[in-house]
Amino acid sequence: MNILELKYTIPGDDFTRAGEASSAIKRKLKQMGFPPDLIRNVSIATYEGEINSVIHANGGSVSVSIDDEAVTIVIEDTGKGIPDIEKAMQEGFSTAPDSVRSLGFGAGMGLPNMKKYTDEIHVESQVGKGTKVTMKCRMT
């Protein structure tokens, strides 16, 4: 049974606002008394997804479902899509432009960190249509 559903918009092309959703989710989970490790994992995974959406898709959306077993995060965009998901999951692989890398982003750790800090991750992507990443962090 869902305790709470949250929805956020990821602003496109604005690194100064990237992280607003993960910060709001972190605050909400703290208010609800969730364990610090779970809060950290959800925050990191969500932030990485937000940054990816800003870099590669001109923004997107974050939906979060919280229940007594897990926090489920869904990040969706209508960007250019990921042609090779397996390659994109490798640490250090990046298609970020130099302009983004010069800002300190685009090191190729987004999807690997999303996988590292969640219990489940599922990436669906269609070139030219966008990407949907579903992640789950369990309570235990």
Side-chain angles (χ1 to χ4, degrees):
M1 177 166 120
N2 282 353
I3 298 170
L4 185 61
E5 301 252 348
L6 305 167
K7 295 193 182 295
Y8 303 92
T9 299
I10 303 168
D13 243 3
D14 187 352
F15 287 98
T16 62
R17 294 190 53 210
E20 288 179 352
S22 55
S23 293
I25 294 162
K26 180 179 182 177
R27 279 191 302 276
K28 180 56 81 176
L29 292 174
K30 278 184 178 181
Q31 289 171 354
M32 296 175 75
F34 284 96
D37 285 348
L38 176 81
I39 294 169
R40 178 179 54 90
N41 292 348
V42 168
S43 298
I44 291 169
T46 304
Y47 179 76
E48 292 287 8
E50 285 180 88
I51 291 296
N52 277 356
S53 291
V54 171
I55 293 171
H56 301 290
N58 198 28
S61 67
V62 179
S63 300
V64 179
S65 297
I66 303 167
D67 62 35
D68 52 2
E69 294 180 9
V71 176
T72 303
I73 307 123
V74 179
I75 300 177
E76 294 184 82
D77 66 55
T78 55
K80 59 188 173 189
I82 304 169
D84 188 338
I85 294 170
E86 189 175 319
K87 195 177 222 181
M89 294 297 286
Q90 295 174 9
E91 289 186 14
F93 177 80
S94 178
T95 59
D98 289 339
S99 60
V100 169
R101 290 176 192 230
S102 70
L103 298 173
F105 299 101
M109 293 304 295
L111 283 170
N113 276 338
M114 292 162 80
K115 181 179 180 182
K116 178 180 179 179
Y117 289 100
T118 59
D119 296 303
E120 287 179 37
I121 185 169
H122 181 71
V123 182
E124 302 169 61
S125 191
Q126 196 171 8
V127 174
K129 301 230 178 200
T131 301
K132 178 179 179 180
V133 180
T134 305
M135 301 174 283
K136 189 172 281 199
C137 293
R138 289 194 187 78
M139 298 298 173
T140 54

